[in-house]
Amino acid sequence: MGWADAPEPAPSFSAVEIIAAKRDCRELTRDQIEWVVGAYTRDEVADEQMSALAMAILLNGMHAAETAHWTQAMIDSGDVLDFGDVGRPLVDKHSTGGVGDKITLPLAPLVAACGAAVPQLSGRGLGHTGGTLDKLEAIPGWRASLSTAEIREQLAEVGAVICATTPTLAPADRRLYALRDVTGTVESVPLIASSIMSKKLAEGTGGLVLDVKVGSGAFMKSLGRAGELADAMTGIGAAHGLPTTALITDMARPLGRCVGNALEVGESVEVLRGGGPADLVELTVALAREMLDLAGITDADPAAVLASGKAHAVWERMIAAQGGDPDAPLPVARHVEQVTADRSGVFSGADALAVGTAAWRLGAGRARKEDPVQAAAGVRLLVEPGDEVRAGTPLLELHTDTPERIPDARRLVAGAALLITADPPPERDLVLDVRRAE
């Protein structure tokens, strides 16, 4: 039952007293949280009041019980989906966002090829982190919006769906997220955790694996903050009876060699065909193992399934089911320029934030939700960490349809953003920690 169908509660609270309670570091009760989230959804609490409350939460935090109640209130603001009749165990994955993080594209069909059903409701990119829907919309004909009936049918027939969140799923979160985005409160761990988990819980999945990114290209810059977010989300999962595992993974460098929508689709297809960069394959398989474990599937080896091509066959069916042509050529940028090494040495890697911001400025991302993106824009790395380079060696390519954007992108990836050292870099640890709901 959504808020529109529920009887209006008696106005036993006021927004001001709830704001003051959190301002003064007091713990909010379940009733207070239910009232303020519901009243905000019904336009009875003004944006400026909810902004003040979000800032108080950012500054003073929330206890685990408050965060669980806040999550439930956002779930209750809309519909809860039920795909328990699709004939496969349901399991999902969520990433907190990174640079070159295209893992969902090969992961969903891989896990489906192993016998699970993956209802991957995804979003669009904002700023330097890419959006899964933006990537897939580079495929001619592919559509992001599906009805609940279409999602259910595709899960039963294909085993995987990647699509936009339905409008009735946690509408309070959608409204609050837009408010946080313009009031400097996005970084609040309780609000991030409840935002992510409310949508996943409302989606009706039976298990959830979280990929919590940490490093320059992630929203969480320190391992401590990433751990705090992972613990908050697995705690919410435990409080709501959802088996949840969080992997904390490295985002100091981009994942793979490509950053940008069509470029990342092409690289994902390489992985599904048994190739692709080693780091993409490693993390895809690691996440698949965790998802299959939560789904109770013990007789499938995701590494072997990926190498066999079975996941690629599921990919083709998944794309075609949503109107896309998996064999169609992907968009190609009209302008491509190279950035070369300014000295000789060993290439030690590219800074994720610099590369992600450069791809955004080239047209691959957006500053506002309503901004368009260029399907072909982005950055392609031409060398791998550990490669020896000489002055003048091409290190990366800048792709765009608007060449006037290239000088700004070139400045972003100049100098220290492309690290060249005398010695080889240390081996990269992709998975830094694992947190599980107790």
Side-chain angles (χ1 to χ4, degrees), residues 7 25 32 77 95 127 143-144 151 157 166 185 248 266 275 277 295 298 310 365 376 395 432:
C25 301
Q32 286 176 315
S77 73
S95 169
R143 64 188 178 99
I151 295 171
E157 294 182 359
T166 62
T185 54
I248 301 175
T298 60
K310 293 179 181 178
L395 300 180
L432 304 173

Side-chain angles (χ1 to χ4, degrees), residues 212-405:
V212 181
K213 302 293 187 188
V214 60
S216 75
F219 289 111
M220 297 293 133
K221 306 298 185 186
S222 71
L223 194 57
R225 287 280 287 172
E228 183 184 352
L229 178 58
D231 288 342
M233 290 192 291
T234 56
I236 292 171
H240 289 81
L242 177 67
T244 306
T245 298
L247 276 64
I248 301 175
T249 66
D250 175 63
M251 188 35 68
R253 303 203 303 256
L255 273 169
R257 287 190 169 201
C258 294
V259 181
N261 302 308
L263 292 171
E264 293 189 44
V265 172
E267 194 168 56
S268 299
V269 172
E270 288 180 26
V271 172
L272 287 162
R273 286 177 170 158
D279 60 345
L280 280 187
V281 175
E282 179 186 343
L283 188 53
T284 299
V285 170
L287 289 165
R289 291 191 196 284
E290 295 291 345
M291 292 173 72
L292 294 172
D293 182 63
L294 291 184
I297 297 174
T298 60
D299 58 352
D301 178 1
V305 172
L306 189 61
S308 74
K310 293 179 181 178
H312 183 256
V314 175
W315 161 267
E316 292 186 309
R317 293 173 61 204
M318 181 182 73
I319 296 302
Q322 292 174 237
D325 182 353
D327 298 319
L330 293 166
V332 176
R334 291 194 290 268
H335 301 274
V336 179
E337 288 194 15
Q338 293 183 340
V339 175
T340 60
D342 59 1
R343 61 190 181 280
S344 299
V346 179
F347 181 68
S348 293
D351 177 71
L353 179 59
V355 172
T357 306
W360 165 23
R361 300 289 173 79
L362 289 166
R366 53 174 63 84
R368 300 173 301 172
K369 288 186 295 183
E370 61 271 20
D371 290 346
V373 298
Q374 293 181 24
V379 176
R380 185 196 300 273
L381 292 162
L382 303 175
V383 293
E384 294 183 353
D387 288 351
E388 291 189 11
V389 300
R390 296 183 179 276
T393 298
L395 300 180
L396 57 76
E397 294 173 341
L398 305 174
H399 293 235
T400 187
D401 292 335
T402 46
E404 63 272 16
R405 296 172 180 248

Side-chain angles (χ1 to χ4, degrees), residues 36 133 235 251:
V36 75
L133 302 183
M251 188 35 68

